[in-house]
């Protein structure tokens, strides 16, 4: 049902579908990505500059996914406020949030309303500083997160880039053992825990930005109205003193570059820490950064992953998958499934554009929606993607492996790790078990047209 | 900008408005506070009021943020799955400059061609209202081109709250849908129910009771419905507004236009269910039916009370706090009391003045807490003083409640258990007992042994 394919003039292989209507959207808005990034920073507050409903949908979606409180605020633009177009709602919102929640960092996110109105957010910030000298200590970061383009990872990366442009102090002496980890929106809380453990096992001190493994991973037992337990703003101030920035997920490369040019911190990008080779490389980097040997437990876990891969071999060989998701997420799972498990990837559908799409090991790569996915995924044995992929799964009568955002139909998804040897082994078992069940069921059905004679 | 019928703000049937002084009426609805506001917008309200119409396509004319919530509702249906398919024009900067009307027409043509819906509802949003898209013209053109009803819903988020959005949805139905189809058979016992969205199948818990009295649900607006059923609603003989705030203005218009009498009622609780059934019978104007309804409800009440007995033994005297809103704020209080529980208090989020008045009268006599807003912080305080045995909570704030680590029953819109009618009472009692007896809550609230002095 794809109306028209438009090949990019530069001869790219990722195809963007062009149609008047998006059916079963895969992409989410940039403000959602920005809000998500801010949920991983201790005492940060996202203020959406828009109508009050702009946060309602985001809150509902994130609450359904994380099953946690997701604090965020809005400037509550009304029809009248939209026409008048002055700064009063914006300033009032910042002052009210400061009064009620005592944040350590505030970010202003533009919405469709403020973008269409053409608000001059940087100018408004200058006027805010003049009008409210008593809040001079509070970082207030204006973010341009237009609704009209991009998806979660764009808004998420833009937020980190803006924070790293403004908050870190330059010219700090290097602190031995301190390492920055920029964690993509496609990582779960479980992934972040795994990565933290690996870094700490080498005696290194990670500053993980943002750290969604705190607030959104069930780690706050009390009631809260502002993020608790994420990356400390004080730690963000000193990221310039780190030995290195390791960005995990391709979209994290841009913020890493900002830090390199502003604070001279070198960086290295990993598309993921999923898979044997990626984990090997990650551990070797930590070894060279720390000068310490790889702890013995990783040798044991590596053998366990190798064993998992061998066990899986019988069931994954000859199989194919199709996946829909954010580019970072496609780049985390598909290279492992394809290059290390030998599964054929028939189609990858991305919510938004990324240079990564050119490198994906998939027969076809589309930037589109879940209607495009249902169309392209027909030949695959297994569909991978968020809860909305369930529609295609039902329609095509193919199993669905839920990853991404939102995942509503299972508990604990966000605490699952897909990283390191252990996380990769778990992923391997999950996928292989689906194929095992499929093969087993098929083996009980005689081939069509076979005659067995018989005595009756 | 958005064209909104000013009548909406002057509904005599709007209990909020009716309760206001002339001065307050002029002020209109309360302005939301920047930086201290939660909750949906008018578009949200319009969308949730109509999206249960399961054989229609629901096209969101707006940018990605407005489409973030597609297929996110707990509404249940037997009648199709079109409403769970997300359609959006995905407005871009190009559309903002050149206008999005052609895109709407193109989108509708495409949807009709590939998905063949019974109708297409097109929702305007803040951005498309700001750029001045003429949704009426676009929908009219699209309808002519496709031969399918295409209904404009003027619901830009910034015009107001979710409740206003519900009203705008009702307005769209009144202008474009209701009266365009006729029922194959008509009956003097045909009714219309407004504002019941069949969340967790609650409409299904009630319809069998109506059918037992040969009362036919001619139209449900809009839980478990299809377009044709909504379009024939003008032939109903009586109406009931279930979610008291949402659809009163539509019920009022239906009364004015088609002479369909209505009342505001609830199916939460044994007494309330019986009262609603009898009231429907009365509005249908058939004395025989009224007698039948009285006999029937008496019988059902007795049967329900008998079924509830083992649960009530366990629930009697337990202290409960109801942290909900709207019509539930008072109707669930009655439910808890019927289960023998002691209600410590309730919140009145999204409740109308009438809702609140009902509670005020009741609570003043009993010195209970009426929490004006969904103030989660205050709730935590109430729970920490240790008087409550169990909490009943819903809405987006349900995880606030969860942090209290206390026995807890979910009445959120995404819940999976229905609590309506006589059947729902038994389900509610079962859930309450299960929560009270669960070993999880005390363990979840326990401190690590090394933290205990």
């Amino acid at each position: 049902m794809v109306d028209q394919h438009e090949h990019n003039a530069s001869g790219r292989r990722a195809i963007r579908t062009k149609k008047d209507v998006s059916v079963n959207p895969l992409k989410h808005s940039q403000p959602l990505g920005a809000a998500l990034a801010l949920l991983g920073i201790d005492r940060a507050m996202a203020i959406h500059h828009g109508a009050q409903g702009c946060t309602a949908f985001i809150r509902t979606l994130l609450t359904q996914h994380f099953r946690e409180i997701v604090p965020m605020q809005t400037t509550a633009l009304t029809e009248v406020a939209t026409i008048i177009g002055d700064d009063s709602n914006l300033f009032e919102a910042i002052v009210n949030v400061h009064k009620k929640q005592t944040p350590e960092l505030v970010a202003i996110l533009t919405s469709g309303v403020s973008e269409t109105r053409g608000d001059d957010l940087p100018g408004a910030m200058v006027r805010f500083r003049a009008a409210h000298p008593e809040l001079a200590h509070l970082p207030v970061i204006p973010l341009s997160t237009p609704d009209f383009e991009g998806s979660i990872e764009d808004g998420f990366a833009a937020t980190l880039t803006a924070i790293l442009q403004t908050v870190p102090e330059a010219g700090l002496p290097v602190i031995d053992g301190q390492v920055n980890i920029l964690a993509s929106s496609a990582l779960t809380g479980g992934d972040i825990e795994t990565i933290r453990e690996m870094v700490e096992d080498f005696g290194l001190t990670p500053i993980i930005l943002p750290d969604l493994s705190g607030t959104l991973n069930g780690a706050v037992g009390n009631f809260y109205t502002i993020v608790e337990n994420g990356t400390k703003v004080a730690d963000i101030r000193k990221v310039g003193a780190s030995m290195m920035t390791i960005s995990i997920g391709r979209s994290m490369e841009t913020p890493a570059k900002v830090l390199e040019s502003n604070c001279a911190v070198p960086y290295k990008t990993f598309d993921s820490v999923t898979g044997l080779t990626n984990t090997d490389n990650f551990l070797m980097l930590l070894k060279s950064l720390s000068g310490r040997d790889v702890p013995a437990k990783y040798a044991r876990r590596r053998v366990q992953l190798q064993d998992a891969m061998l066990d899986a071999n019988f069931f994954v060989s000859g199989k194919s998958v199709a996946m829909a998701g954010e580019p970072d997420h496609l780049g985390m799972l598909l290279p492992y499934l394809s290059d290390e498990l030998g599964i054929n990837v028939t189609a990858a559908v991305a919510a938004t554009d990324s240079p990564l799409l050119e490198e994906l090991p998939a027969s076809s790569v589309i930037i589109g929606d879940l209607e495009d996915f249902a169309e392209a995924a027909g030949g695959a044995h297994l569909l991978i993607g968020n809860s909305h992929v369930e529609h295609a799964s039902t329609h095509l009568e193919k199993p669905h492996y839920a990853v991404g955002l939102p995942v509503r139909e299972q508990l604990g998804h966000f605490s699952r790790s897909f990283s390191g040897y252990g996380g990769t082994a778990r992923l391997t078992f999950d996928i292989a078990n689906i194929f095992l069940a499929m093969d087993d069921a098929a083996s009980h059905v005689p081939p069509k047209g076979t005659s067995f004679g018989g005595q009756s | 900008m958005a064209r909104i019928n000013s009548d909406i703000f002057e509904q005599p049937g709007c209990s909020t408005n009716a309760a206001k002084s002339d001065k307050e009426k002029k002020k209109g609805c309360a302005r939301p506070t920047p930086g201290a506001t939660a909750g949906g917008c008018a578009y949200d309200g319009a969308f949730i009021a109509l999206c249960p119409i399961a054989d229609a396509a629901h096209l969101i004319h707006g940018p990605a943020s407005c489409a973030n919530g597609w297929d996110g509702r707990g509404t249940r249906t037997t009648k199709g799955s079109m409403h769970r398919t997300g359609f959006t024009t995905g407005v871009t900067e190009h559309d903002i400059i050149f206008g999005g009307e052609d895109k709407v027409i193109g989108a509708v043509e495409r949807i009709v061609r590939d998905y063949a819906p019974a109708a297409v509802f097109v929702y305007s949003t803040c951005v498309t209202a700001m750029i001045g898209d003429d949704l009426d013209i676009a929908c009219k053109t699209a309808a002519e081109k496709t031969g399918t009803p295409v209904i404009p819903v003027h619901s830009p988020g910034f015009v107001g709250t979710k409740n206003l959005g519900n009203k705008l949805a009702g307005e769209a139905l009144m202008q474009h849908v209701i009266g365009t189809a006729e029922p194959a058979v008509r009956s003097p016992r045909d009714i219309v129910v407004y504002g019941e969205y069949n969340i967790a199948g609650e409409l299904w818990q009630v319809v069998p009771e109506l059918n037992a009295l040969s009362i036919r649900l001619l139209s449900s607006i809009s839980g478990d419905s299809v377009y044709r059923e909504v379009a024939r609603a003008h032939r109903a003989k009586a109406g009931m507004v279930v979610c008291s705030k949402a659809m009163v203005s539509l019920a009022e218009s239906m009364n004015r236009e088609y002479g369909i009498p209505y009342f505001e009622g609830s199916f939460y609780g044994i007494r309330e269910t019986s009262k609603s059934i009898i009231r429907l019978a009365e509005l249908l104007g058939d004395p025989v039916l009224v007698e039948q309804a009285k006999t029937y409800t008496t019988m059902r009440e007795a049967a329900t009370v008998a079924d509830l007995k083992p649960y009530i033994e366990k629930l009697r005297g337990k202290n409960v706090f109801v942290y909900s809103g709207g019509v539930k704020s008072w109707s669930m209080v009655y439910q808890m009391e019927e289960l023998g529980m002691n209600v410590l208090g309730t919140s009145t989020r999204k409740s109308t003045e009438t809702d609140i008045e009902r509670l005020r009268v009741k609570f003043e006599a009993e010195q209970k807490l009426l929490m004006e807003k969904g103030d989660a912080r205050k709730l935590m305080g109430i729970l920490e003083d240790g008087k409550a045995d169990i909490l009943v909570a819903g809405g987006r704030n349900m995880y606030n409640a969860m942090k209290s680590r206390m026995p807890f029953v979910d009445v959120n819109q995404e819940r999976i258990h229905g609590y309506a009618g006589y059947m729902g009472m038994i389900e509610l009692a079962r859930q309450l007992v299960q929560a009270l007896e669960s070993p999880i809550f005390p363990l979840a609230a326990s401190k690590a042994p090394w933290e205990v002095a």
Side-chain angles (χ1 to χ4, degrees):
Chain A
M1 282 189 249
V2 171
D3 294 13
Q4 194 185 341
H5 284 154
E6 193 181 63
H7 283 272
N8 195 299
S10 59
R12 294 187 45 191
R13 56 190 282 270
I15 291 166
R16 187 187 286 275
T17 54
K18 197 168 181 286
K19 40 192 190 180
D20 276 337
V21 59
S22 170
V23 184
N24 294 339
L26 174 62
K27 76 168 190 165
H28 290 96
S29 64
Q30 279 208 66
L32 191 152
L36 183 61
L38 292 156
L39 286 168
I41 298 172
D42 191 41
R43 304 206 74 76
M45 181 62 84
I47 300 179
H48 298 250
H49 192 24
Q52 65 167 354
C54 298
T55 57
F57 287 105
I58 292 172
R59 281 187 70 200
T60 304
L61 190 83
L62 294 177
T63 305
Q64 287 173 350
H65 178 73
F66 292 109
R67 296 173 189 263
E68 283 292 343
I69 307 171
V70 286
M72 59 188 67
Q73 267 306 335
T74 151
T75 56
L77 291 180
T78 57
E79 200 174 17
V80 175
T82 305
I83 298 165
I84 296 170
D86 65 359
D87 298 327
S88 55
N89 275 57
L90 178 59
F91 292 5
E92 200 182 324
I94 300 172
V95 169
N96 281 338
V97 163
H98 172 73
K99 227 184 284 169
K100 281 187 90 170
Q101 274 94 19
T102 55
E104 288 187 19
L105 184 147
V106 168
I108 312 296
L109 287 48
T110 58
S111 65
V113 177
S114 44
E115 287 279 341
T116 306
R117 193 166 78 163
D119 278 7
D120 166 28
L121 212 47
M125 285 300 105
V126 174
R127 293 190 291 277
F128 177 77
R129 290 304 184 194
H132 292 279
E134 79 283 5
L135 294 180
H137 63 282
L138 178 69
V140 180
I141 296 168
L143 290 170
S144 174
T145 47
D147 255 353
F148 319 117
E149 55 196 42
S151 187
I152 296 174
E153 70 177 44
D154 302 290
F156 191 92
T159 304
L160 296 188
T161 305
I163 288 173
L164 292 176
Q165 284 282 16
T166 43
V167 181
E169 292 164 22
L172 297 176
V174 174
I175 300 173
D176 195 42
Q178 182 176 301
V179 179
N180 303 327
I181 304 284
L182 296 183
S184 158
S185 53
L187 294 171
T188 63
D191 288 319
I192 293 170
E193 297 285 10
T194 301
I195 291 161
R196 187 200 325 274
E197 184 188 347
M198 286 199 268
V199 176
E200 287 179 348
D201 280 348
F202 285 83
L204 299 166
T205 310
I207 297 178
I208 301 172
L209 179 69
D211 186 357
L212 292 172
S213 73
T215 305
L216 295 181
N217 205 14
V220 182
N222 53 289
F223 168 72
Y224 53 87
T225 60
I226 185 166
V227 184
E228 291 179 17
N229 238 4
T231 319
K232 300 263 180 288
V233 173
D235 283 342
I236 303 175
R237 289 210 171 89
K238 57 179 204 192
V239 288
S242 290
M243 300 167 74
M244 176 177 258
T245 299
I246 307 174
S247 48
I248 298 169
R250 185 70 66 90
S251 70
M252 293 294 96
E253 203 162 10
T254 312
K257 278 180 183 161
V258 165
L259 203 53
E260 186 186 47
S261 62
N262 289 4
C263 300
V265 183
Y267 74 92
K268 200 161 166 35
T269 302
F270 282 76
D271 284 343
S272 76
V273 196
T274 299
L276 190 78
T277 315
N278 281 338
T279 308
D280 284 353
N281 292 341
F282 189 66
L283 292 172
M284 289 307 280
L285 174 65
L286 296 176
K287 181 176 186 293
S288 84
L289 275 173
S290 66
R292 291 197 193 180
D293 283 339
V294 177
K297 73 180 183 193
Y298 290 103
R300 198 168 62 242
R301 286 184 189 170
R302 191 172 191 279
V303 176
Q304 285 171 329
L305 170 58
Q306 288 172 317
D307 190 60
M309 293 170 77
L310 288 168
D311 287 345
N313 167 58
F314 302 106
F315 308 101
V316 300
S317 60
K319 295 299 195 305
S320 58
V321 299
M323 178 171 172
E326 298 276 316
D328 274 7
H329 213 171
L330 299 170
M332 283 181 187
L333 299 189
L334 294 182
Y336 173 65
L337 298 180
S338 165
D339 304 345
E340 299 197 336
L341 287 182
I343 295 171
N344 179 32
V345 181
T346 57
V349 177
T352 178
D353 201 357
S354 161
L356 171 83
L357 299 183
E358 301 306 298
E359 300 159 33
L360 285 178
S363 308
S364 84
V365 182
I366 297 168
I367 303 163
D369 56 31
L370 291 174
E371 182 188 57
D372 304 325
F373 178 71
E375 183 113 316
H381 292 102
L382 172 67
L383 311 181
I384 303 175
N386 68 20
S387 289
H388 294 310
V389 166
E390 194 57 43
H391 293 272
S393 164
T394 309
H395 174 65
L396 298 170
E397 296 180 343
K398 288 174 192 299
H400 169 211
Y401 184 62
V403 294
L405 196 161
V407 172
R408 296 187 296 217
E409 68 275 26
Q410 45 172 290
L411 302 176
H413 177 77
F414 193 67
S415 58
R416 281 264 335 255
S417 172
F418 300 82
S419 296
Y421 298 129
T424 306
R426 192 65 252 164
L427 168 69
T428 310
F429 289 139
D430 282 355
I431 300 281
N433 281 337
I434 294 169
F435 292 140
L436 187 158
M438 200 184 279
D439 288 355
D440 185 65
S443 76
H444 291 279
V445 182
K448 268 192 192 133
T450 310
S451 165
F452 293 96
Q455 310 245 318
S456 64
Chain B
M1 285 229 166
R3 227 164 297 154
I4 290 157
N5 187 339
S6 61
D7 274 5
I8 275 186
F9 297 102
E10 287 161 23
Q11 291 301 336
C14 170
S15 44
T16 307
N17 211 27
K20 285 178 181 171
S21 67
D22 283 349
K23 203 178 154 198
E24 278 178 316
K25 272 181 200 165
K26 268 193 195 126
K27 274 199 276 180
C29 305
R31 169 182 172 268
T33 314
T37 294
C41 59
Y43 152 69
D44 189 4
F47 188 77
I48 63 178
L50 299 179
C51 87
I53 303 174
D55 64 345
H58 299 272
L59 173 63
I60 302 157
H61 185 35
S65 273
C66 307
N68 274 332
W70 71 276
D71 194 20
R73 298 285 301 172
T75 179
R76 298 287 185 269
T77 184
T78 50
K79 295 175 176 169
S81 62
M82 188 75 69
H83 66 302
R84 294 189 56 197
T85 307
F87 295 106
T88 172
T89 55
V91 166
T92 62
E93 275 174 320
H94 179 274
D95 303 321
I96 289 173
I97 298 161
F98 296 100
E101 289 154 27
D102 288 346
K103 206 167 188 181
V104 169
I105 297 165
V108 172
E109 285 185 293
R110 183 41 228 295
I111 292 167
V112 171
R113 191 185 78 210
D114 289 331
Y115 294 88
V120 183
F121 287 92
V122 186
Y123 302 83
S124 70
T125 59
C126 296
V127 170
T128 50
M130 283 169 79
I131 62 178
D133 276 358
D134 193 330
L135 201 60
D136 287 334
I137 299 268
C139 289
K140 194 160 172 277
T141 312
E144 280 162 6
K145 284 186 157 184
T146 58
T148 299
V150 183
I151 298 98
V153 186
H154 296 287
S155 54
F158 54 43
V159 299
T161 60
K162 223 159 153 173
N163 281 307
L164 178 60
N166 291 153
K167 291 177 193 174
L168 295 170
E171 183 79 2
L173 292 181
M174 203 60 205
Q175 273 187 19
H176 301 281
V177 182
I178 293 167
T180 61
E182 291 296 329
V185 217
R186 287 167 66 174
S187 144
R189 295 184 180 186
D190 279 347
I191 63 156
V192 52
V193 167
Y194 309 100
E196 164 54 63
Y197 303 122
N198 202 29
I199 301 294
E202 288 190 339
L203 185 64
W204 294 336
Q205 291 178 318
V206 173
V207 169
E209 316 290 358
L210 301 174
N211 289 347
L213 290 163
S214 307
I215 296 174
R216 179 171 71 153
L217 182 59
L218 180 73
S219 302
S220 162
I221 297 175
S222 58
D224 196 26
S225 71
V226 290
Y227 185 76
R228 189 174 32 81
E229 293 166 1
V230 176
R232 69 187 184 196
H234 61 297
R235 296 303 183 197
K237 299 293 174 211
M240 171 175 170
V241 181
V242 175
C243 185
S244 71
K245 225 179 178 183
M247 283 290 186
V248 175
S249 58
L250 176 61
E252 187 60 35
S253 300
M254 292 282 279
N255 185 24
R256 199 172 52 221
E257 200 97 342
Y258 301 108
I260 304 171
Y262 74 96
F263 72 105
E264 288 179 48
S266 155
F267 287 120
Y268 290 125
I270 301 172
R271 280 300 304 148
E272 286 299 316
T273 302
S274 298
K275 262 165 69 184
S276 294
I277 293 171
I278 293 166
R279 188 83 187 102
L280 273 169
E282 287 167 357
L283 285 184
L284 287 170
D286 177 348
V288 179
L289 180 62
V290 174
E291 282 316 302
Q292 286 171 337
K294 284 179 179 163
T295 313
Y296 179 76
T297 52
T298 308
M299 179 195 80
R300 288 293 286 129
E301 282 187 17
T304 309
V305 169
D307 287 343
L308 283 174
K309 201 163 170 266
Y311 299 108
I312 291 177
E313 280 166 15
K314 292 175 175 172
L315 295 172
R316 181 167 292 128
K318 291 279 190 291
N319 292 321
V320 58
F321 192 93
V322 180
Y323 186 61
S324 182
V327 65
K328 275 191 232 145
S329 61
W330 58 269
S331 57
M332 293 210 85
V333 168
Y334 289 109
Q335 271 184 307
M336 299 303 147
E337 291 186 344
E338 286 179 342
L339 293 172
M341 302 178 82
N342 176 33
V343 180
L344 294 175
T346 185
S347 70
T348 56
R349 237 161 5 110
K350 295 187 278 186
S351 302
T352 59
E353 281 305 319
T354 323
D355 291 339
I356 296 168
E357 201 44 46
R358 278 181 232 249
L359 282 165
R360 200 168 283 145
V361 170
K362 183 171 171 52
F363 277 25
E364 256 167 26
E366 301 171 29
Q367 293 195 332
K368 287 175 182 176
L369 182 78
L370 200 58
M371 217 156 71
E372 298 243 322
K373 271 191 177 162
D375 186 339
R377 186 70 76 185
K378 204 166 166 190
L379 171 72
M380 290 296 141
I382 295 161
L383 298 178
E384 271 157 22
D385 74 13
K387 280 195 207 122
D389 297 304
I390 189 164
L391 177 66
V392 171
R396 287 191 189 88
N397 294 317
M398 103 177 216
Y399 290 94
N400 298 358
M402 205 94 107
K403 291 292 178 199
S404 71
R405 263 70 173 151
M406 88 155 16
F408 166 73
V409 169
D410 176 15
V411 293
N412 176 34
Q413 71 92 2
E414 289 119 8
R415 69 188 176 273
I416 45 180
H417 302 290
Y419 302 129
Y422 306 112
M423 275 182 245
M425 273 303 276
I426 294 162
E427 185 59 47
L428 178 63
R430 186 182 298 132
Q431 294 299 325
L432 286 163
V433 168
Q434 279 171 6
L436 279 169
E437 291 183 346
S438 167
I440 292 174
F441 296 103
L443 285 172
S446 69
K447 285 236 182 306
W450 57 89
E451 287 173 354
V452 181

